[in-house]
Amino acid sequence: MKIGITCYPTYGGSGVVATELGIELAERGHEVHFISYAQPFRLAGRESRIRFHEVPVTNYPLFEFPPYDLALATRMAEVAEYSDLDLLHVHYAIPHSVSALLARQMLARTGRRLPFVSTLHGTDITLVGADRAYLPITRYAIEESDGVTAISSYLRQQTVDTFGVQREIAVISNFVNCDLYLRNRPVAERLRTQYALPEERLLVHLSNFRPVKRVRDVIEIFARVAEQMPARLLMVGDGPERSMAEWLAMHLKIHDRVHFLGKMESIHELLPVADLMLMPSELESFGLAALEAMACEVPTIGTDVGGMAELIEHNVTGMLFPVGAVAEMSEAAIALLRDPERLQTMAKAARCEAQRTFCASRVIASYERFYESVLNGPAR
Ligand code: GMT
């Protein structure tokens, strides 16, 4: 198949899923074209069999807001025609589904069919999409898509409840490449020496540091852990809450043990050095970073929100608590870190679950079947 993929190319789960999907599809022999304003960050160095088409957004003094969605629709139609695409797959509904709808309509006038699949990821439904300013057009683009997928049953239900959408929505979960994300003990031990002393426990947080991630709770949980045992925290990623988190680490006098590493490309190399992942989010429709950690034998202490319980079985593959339960989460982390046998059992169970349910080969095959059903379905 010849597939056009559009996503936000910046640091964020939907862009990561779209990029990893494109890489996996290309490895399976499909022709993959990314169409976006910048090359997705995880594509760097892995783009050999993938084509990237930049969307140029012309500005003009009259425009207070340059119309990216229109430039994107134009580029989608051009690429589809030039490269003879079979379909478009857009990640994050706003504005990508609307642009794809326009591209499909533009090409329909020339007699060319260009179906599109919309994958819903999270805040495109729960936060931004639910805003009245965007709700009607998001609902329209979802209804008009040739196929719609959501990354968890939770998100599918939210879409029905929030938007009153009647159409079918398939659940295709996030996935992880278990051949890439794994703990190679000698390699991990070597890399670990860069971050921690042998007697120190190592915790990690990975996100785009948006308010929904509750980065403050991460620091507070770690501060309580660090009172009880020698430990360090790796903060991976960047975003609006980073300054606050740095200030809090200074204020709590733990900044010598909290390392802000910024945006990193080789997450699969870093994750296996950690003992525990912290993800105390306000909301997660799935929790991709927790899945990547699980594949690397790093269990997550997180919150029981959104689709997290579809990924993590409490006390088996990780631990889930109410939002804001900083004391409970830190007590759980301390108990687990003091019990290496239990931690190891949980780490192995997490890896097993990542392999059994969420490994890339299984989930990519679901996307391929979904594309086939869209291509064989009626034209809209
Ligand atoms: O919603 C966000 O804050 C970012 C969003 C994204 O598009 O980057 O993340 C969402 O998509 C990920 C990949 O499908 C999911 O694993 C995350 O749980 C989800 N985030 C939220 O629902 C908050």
Side-chain angles (χ1 to χ4, degrees), residues 12-15 17 92 121-124 126 151 174 208 210 212-213 283-288:
S14 59
V17 169
Y92 208 89
H121 281 271
T123 49
D124 47 350
T126 55
I151 53 149
N174 285 176
N208 50 20
R210 299 203 186 282
V212 73
K213 304 294 176 183
L283 185 60
E284 284 297 339
S285 297
F286 185 87
L288 177 64

Side-chain angles (χ1 to χ4, degrees), residues 221-250:
I221 293 166
F222 175 73
R224 291 169 187 237
V225 172
E227 260 175 32
Q228 300 296 321
M229 62 184 71
R232 285 180 193 265
L233 171 66
L234 303 181
M235 297 289 283
V236 187
D238 215 329
E241 298 284 285
R242 178 169 168 175
S243 301
M244 178 280 298
E246 287 176 353
W247 171 83
L248 187 59
M250 295 261 286

Side-chain angles (χ1 to χ4, degrees), residues 5-8 14 17-18 21 89-93 96 119 121 367:
I5 297 182
T6 290
C7 63
Y8 283 105
S14 59
V17 169
L21 174 62
H89 185 177
V90 301
H91 293 259
Y92 208 89
H96 303 143
T119 288
H121 281 271
Y367 274 119

Side-chain angles (χ1 to χ4, degrees), residues 98-114:
V98 179
S99 300
L101 176 55
L102 283 173
R104 184 181 76 189
Q105 287 173 349
M106 285 159 75
L107 290 190
R109 291 182 73 91
T110 68
R112 173 183 285 277
R113 186 178 176 223
L114 180 64

